[in-house]
Amino acid sequence: NTISRSLDTRTANALILPNDVSLSNGTNLNSTSDVIDRKRFGAMLAFDAAYNDFIFVDASIRQDQSNKFGKSTNGFLSYGIGIGVKLIQNNSLESNVSNILLHGSFGRFGNDFSIGNTFSTFSPDNSISGDGFISANTTNSPQLINTGVNNNLIAESTAAIDMGIDLLFNDEKYKLGFLVYRESSTGLIVNKETASTSGIQSIFDNIGETENVGFEIAINAKIVDSKKYDWNLSLAFNKNNNIVIGTTENNNPIIQSGFSLTRTEAIVDEAYGVIVGTGFLRNENQQIVIDFDGFPLSENDLIIGDPNPDWTMYINNQFTLFDKLSISANVDIKSGGDVWCGTCGVLDYFGRSEQAASEVGQTVLFEGVNTVGGVNNIEAELAPASGDNNRFYRQRYGFGGLSSLSIYDASWVRLRNIAINYNFKDVLKSDLFSNFSLGVFANNLLVITDFPGIDPETNLLGNANSRGLEYFNNPGTKQIGLVLDVSF
């Protein structure tokens, strides 16, 4: 495939007249130009074979070329093979098992990425905000964009192996599947920071290596199967353990996204994307160190959370009545996974939250030791009637408070979508239509969670690398609509 696109955008704000939304009515007019250039070519060979409805083999190999890599690369090669063995249950045995399928696969595949790293472009001007000595001005001197080009990039590579078993019961009305897997990814492409003297802020590079090990359980069941109505249930359970095997030279942590004091990082021997921030200072015995005013001391660059869930589950129910009315509902369950609620920290800082209000007049004896090793016996007043910021618990550690105080569990039960559809073909009694159905649907209709901030599924920067960071994010949208399906 080949994608090449240039997008010029003009925006304006601070409207002069309230009802005129044209660009000419804006006091601040900005122009931007985005270029997307992707060229990719590939060839694939696939092979499938079966013997006596007993053993099945499929294999494939593919070679791809992409303009996202340097001239020295040969593109990326992907290949895989899968084997399945079907064991028919002996009907003479007293068992409800219809058959058993053993299967396994191995493969390696490469990947490029969709944007960036094709060529450098320039911004049209260089603005200086000015101060008391230098006046603000804008010059027309060209300036390189923030992200540079890396001509030595190679493809990301992932090797995966899995083994599983499927059990079918009662003439395949019920199916139970179990799968274990292991995946190792090398050469992960990350946009890393560069020295400011280089003239750019970041560059794409192959600097990551991770491993995923886990298992999946899948259940499919025809709970009710009759001529008038039926009910199908499917359930999928997944537990995945992720760990960073390596990063860049010397295995230094890789900052992924966030702020200077609270961010996500890739750290060797930790889960991918752990949350790093400020927290309580602890001694070698993991006791909190308390200052002589009764408040804990703080420390930067601590691992304070893991956004990866302990496990996830998806449940789908499908009901059909008289071949006319169908109802489907999907429930999404996530257990575990931390989120930094930056919104909560800011509201606490300004005293605009229930948490901050509940601390007015409270005194607390923090458990820990003082700076000389003695047991702390000084009570701290969390929110006194007056005093400087250092006397307020929610302000003494700076804007937004300690990051660790805003870490929350982000488990949820989410009604992902629900749909109701009715076929009116028989009601119309017309041969003109082969199908005439009307339906209503709703997405993201209900979320049950103890997370106090905005929807924990949202991402700060809109990509996977910012998981676990919530700072005045836009909430997840609900969708409600109608669907008309007519065919002749």
Side-chain angles (χ1 to χ4, degrees):
N1 57 66
T2 299
I3 300 175
S4 183
R5 184 180 68 187
S6 177
L7 178 64
D8 295 322
T9 305
R10 302 184 71 192
T11 61
N13 54 31
L15 299 178
I16 301 172
L17 300 176
N19 297 321
D20 183 0
V21 295
S22 62
L23 290 175
S24 60
N25 188 45
T27 58
N28 296 317
L29 186 63
N30 299 295
S31 299
T32 59
S33 179
D34 297 320
V35 178
I36 297 176
D37 182 35
R38 182 185 186 186
K39 297 181 177 68
R40 182 170 173 176
F41 172 81
M44 184 178 70
L45 178 65
F47 170 81
D48 294 290
Y51 173 73
N52 201 28
D53 199 29
F54 169 67
I55 187 168
F56 308 87
V57 179
D58 62 86
S60 63
I61 185 170
R62 175 174 177 139
Q63 175 68 32
D64 287 273
Q65 301 291 137
S66 173
N67 68 329
K68 297 303 175 182
F69 307 123
K71 296 180 179 179
S72 61
T73 182
N74 292 319
F76 48 95
L77 182 69
S78 303
Y79 56 87
I81 183 171
I83 300 175
V85 179
K86 194 173 184 179
L87 306 178
I88 305 299
Q89 180 69 26
N90 191 334
N91 294 330
S92 63
L93 299 179
E94 295 181 1
S95 173
N96 293 324
V97 178
S98 301
N99 59 60
I100 302 173
L101 177 64
L102 303 176
H103 54 86
S105 65
F106 170 80
R108 179 180 294 274
F109 56 91
N111 185 43
D112 64 352
F113 55 105
S114 59
I115 60 175
N117 201 60
T118 304
F119 46 79
S120 296
T121 59
F122 295 87
S123 60
D125 53 42
N126 185 12
S127 299
I128 301 175
S129 59
D131 54 23
F133 300 96
I134 302 174
S135 61
N137 65 83
T138 300
T139 64
N140 292 323
S141 60
Q143 182 181 14
L144 272 172
I145 61 173
N146 294 332
T147 303
V149 174
N150 184 352
N151 291 320
N152 298 314
L153 272 182
I154 61 175
E156 297 178 339
S157 179
T158 298
I161 184 172
D162 64 68
M163 293 178 292
I165 182 172
D166 294 335
L167 303 176
L168 286 81
F169 303 89
N170 292 357
D171 293 329
E172 303 188 2
K173 288 181 61 177
Y174 307 99
K175 179 181 179 181
L176 172 63
F178 180 78
L179 179 76
V180 294
Y181 61 87
R182 184 188 191 99
E183 294 183 354
S184 298
S185 298
T186 59
L188 297 181
I189 300 174
V190 178
N191 193 15
K192 71 173 184 178
E193 296 181 349
T194 59
S196 58
T197 54
S198 65
I200 57 176
Q201 294 182 358
S202 61
I203 191 171
F204 289 102
D205 202 357
N206 300 98
I207 54 177
E209 182 177 354
T210 63
E211 182 178 77
N212 288 278
V213 178
F215 68 89
E216 298 177 355
I217 299 175
I219 298 175
N220 294 279
K222 296 180 180 180
I223 306 297
V224 178
D225 186 13
S226 66
K227 294 181 178 180
K228 294 183 178 180
Y229 51 88
D230 58 63
W231 171 21
N232 294 323
L233 170 68
S234 59
L235 179 150
F237 177 92
N238 176 270
K239 181 173 177 58
N240 179 75
N241 293 321
N242 172 276
I243 190 171
V244 177
I245 303 299
T247 54
T248 183
E249 58 276 3
N250 301 321
N251 281 329
N252 294 323
I254 300 173
I255 297 176
Q256 297 175 302
S257 63
F259 305 94
S260 59
L261 292 180
T262 309
R263 57 195 182 271
T264 59
E265 293 188 6
I267 302 175
V268 174
D269 294 332
E270 299 290 342
Y272 184 78
V274 292
I275 306 171
V276 175
T278 56
F280 294 133
L281 174 66
R282 297 177 183 270
N283 61 16
E284 61 275 7
N285 297 321
Q286 295 303 305
Q287 296 171 299
I288 297 176
V289 180
I290 312 296
D291 204 351
F292 283 100
D293 61 358
F295 284 99
L297 294 173
S298 64
E299 185 177 5
N300 298 337
D301 303 328
L302 299 174
I303 297 176
I304 58 176
D306 179 2
N308 299 285
D310 298 327
W311 54 266
T312 58
M313 181 184 297
Y314 305 92
I315 304 173
N316 174 265
N317 283 281
Q318 179 77 42
F319 303 91
T320 304
L321 303 176
F322 304 103
D323 292 328
K324 294 180 177 63
L325 177 66
S326 63
I327 304 172
S328 64
N330 293 283
V331 178
D332 177 3
I333 303 173
K334 182 174 78 75
S335 177
D338 299 318
V339 171
W340 171 66
C341 183
T343 305
C344 303
V346 172
L347 294 177
D348 291 342
Y349 178 85
F350 286 113
R352 294 296 187 266
S353 66
E354 292 184 9
Q355 177 67 43
S358 67
E359 294 173 352
V360 175
Q362 281 194 20
T363 57
V364 173
L365 180 64
F366 287 98
E367 294 185 4
V369 296
N370 55 37
T371 55
V372 295
V375 177
N376 176 54
N377 56 7
I378 301 175
E379 289 188 343
E381 188 176 3
L382 299 182
S386 62
D388 57 37
N389 289 353
N390 286 335
R391 297 302 305 167
F392 293 95
Y393 180 49
R394 296 293 171 173
Q395 292 189 342
R396 65 181 284 114
Y397 302 105
F399 183 73
L402 291 179
S403 309
S404 60
L405 296 179
S406 298
I407 293 292
Y408 295 92
D409 178 82
S411 301
W412 70 56
V413 176
R414 185 183 302 268
L415 181 58
R416 182 65 66 182
N417 58 69
I418 185 170
I420 302 174
N421 187 80
Y422 191 87
N423 195 331
F424 289 90
K425 180 180 179 302
D426 293 340
V427 177
L428 297 176
K429 296 180 180 180
S430 173
D431 295 332
L432 178 63
F433 304 105
S434 59
N435 181 72
F436 192 103
S437 61
L438 179 65
V440 59
F441 69 90
N443 298 327
N444 204 27
L445 192 62
L446 175 66
V447 181
I448 301 174
T449 180
D450 291 331
F451 181 70
I454 300 169
D455 188 344
E457 190 177 39
T458 63
N459 295 327
L460 175 62
L461 299 179
N463 57 54
N465 283 339
S466 64
R467 289 185 314 147
L469 300 180
E470 189 274 286
Y471 189 79
F472 295 93
N473 297 2
N474 289 325
T477 58
K478 293 181 174 65
Q479 292 179 318
I480 299 176
L482 296 173
V483 177
L484 176 63
D485 185 5
V486 179
S487 56
F488 302 91

